[in-house]
Amino acid sequence: DPESSAAAAGSGARLVWKQRLLLMAAGIPAAVTGLLYYESMRYVSASLAIILLFQFTWIGVLIQAVAERRRPGGFILVSLAVLFGGTLLAAGIVEEGAGRLPLMGTVLGLLSAVSYSLFILLSGKALPGIRPAYRSVWMLAGGMMFVFILFPPEFLINGKLWSELLLYGMLLGLFGAFIPPVLFAVGVPRIGEGMASILGAFELPVAILASSIVLREPVSLLQWAGVVLVLIGVALPELEKRRSSLR
């Protein structure tokens, strides 16, 4: 019985293999997101890469609409228009034109947004009754196995692990691969995918600010205005949902 199995796992019992495989599959989009995102930064700046990644806000809406076979309402369409306008400003397209964007980096960045949308949706739906620690371990295991299939871990035996790779790998693993899935596993089932998207959107200004300060990448006032518009566009659907529930 799936319900009794989930309840048993939630109380601390071991997961059955069907549940483990499901969680491992749900973790694959997180690994794909990282691969595509880091690859996109070979062609575009870090600030533009994070802007492209944040297209998950409207891509997730479209995926959910297709999955539920339900057309987005007028308020959602207004929100998407605000997001699109903010993206044009934040990406510098208004200032420099779309022709200045590297095609390969743009495509990879948008594909990372698609995989990140799938990760958020699956984080809220894949066995939400199971303890976050169990869910995170198996989701991370699924992503790790997927990456190891694509890129065999030769660094474990060729000595490169003990170079700078170890330090940066530990930092990226901790802040990029471990902490976010754990927090998503805890938070998304409790607050819902909509509010998770709003809170997750604050990664955008933080990342752009970090790229400006740490990497010294130029960010214009017009681009910051676009960032603000993107945040507004992300928040509008959830704010409307909450306003409707109070009626």
Side-chain angles (χ1 to χ4, degrees):
D1 180 17
E3 293 185 0
S4 61
S5 298
S11 63
R14 292 185 177 180
L15 301 176
V16 298
W17 270 107
K18 183 178 179 180
Q19 294 172 319
R20 293 171 182 169
L21 293 175
L22 179 61
L23 290 173
M24 291 173 72
I28 291 177
V32 174
T33 298
L35 292 174
L36 293 171
Y37 176 70
Y38 294 132
E39 188 67 19
S40 72
M41 285 197 292
R42 294 179 56 191
Y43 305 94
V44 300
S45 64
S47 57
L48 179 54
I50 192 66
I51 290 170
L52 293 172
L53 173 61
F54 262 81
Q55 302 314 298
F56 78 85
T57 51
W58 61 267
I59 291 175
V61 172
L62 294 182
I63 292 176
Q64 197 165 14
V66 172
E68 298 177 357
R69 297 181 180 180
R70 177 174 50 86
R71 183 179 178 181
F75 199 86
I76 295 294
L77 295 178
V78 171
S79 174
L80 294 180
V82 173
L83 280 169
F84 185 71
T87 298
L88 293 179
L89 291 174
I93 296 176
V94 174
E95 292 178 295
E96 301 181 5
R100 299 290 298 273
L101 296 180
L103 179 61
M104 181 60 71
T106 302
V107 171
L108 290 170
L110 292 175
L111 288 176
S112 71
V114 174
S115 60
Y116 194 56
S117 301
L118 294 174
F119 170 64
I120 291 179
L121 292 175
L122 292 175
S123 293
K125 298 183 182 301
L127 304 177
I130 293 176
R131 286 185 180 179
Y134 291 120
R135 299 176 73 231
S136 299
V137 165
W138 288 104
M139 290 173 71
L140 288 172
M144 181 187 69
M145 291 183 63
F146 179 79
V147 172
F148 280 178
I149 291 174
L150 293 180
F151 305 99
E154 298 177 356
F155 60 87
L156 293 175
I157 57 176
N158 61 12
K160 292 184 177 180
L161 176 63
W162 307 108
S163 62
E164 293 181 348
L165 178 64
L166 181 62
L167 174 61
Y168 289 110
M170 290 179 63
L171 291 175
L172 284 173
L174 179 63
F175 293 104
F178 177 70
I179 294 179
V182 170
L183 297 181
F184 264 107
V186 175
V188 175
R190 299 185 181 185
I191 64 177
E193 292 89 344
M195 182 56 70
S197 296
I198 292 177
L199 296 177
F202 283 95
E203 179 185 349
L204 177 60
V206 172
I208 293 181
L209 184 63
S211 67
S212 176
I213 295 176
V214 179
L215 302 179
R216 300 185 182 279
E217 294 182 352
V219 181
S220 68
L221 290 177
L222 202 57
Q223 287 177 291
W224 278 116
V227 171
V228 173
L229 278 178
V230 169
L231 294 177
I232 293 174
V234 172
L236 280 177
E238 187 66 20
L239 294 177
E240 171 64 14
K241 186 189 303 182
R242 290 175 176 268
R243 186 173 70 87
S244 299
S245 64
L246 294 176
R247 291 177 182 175

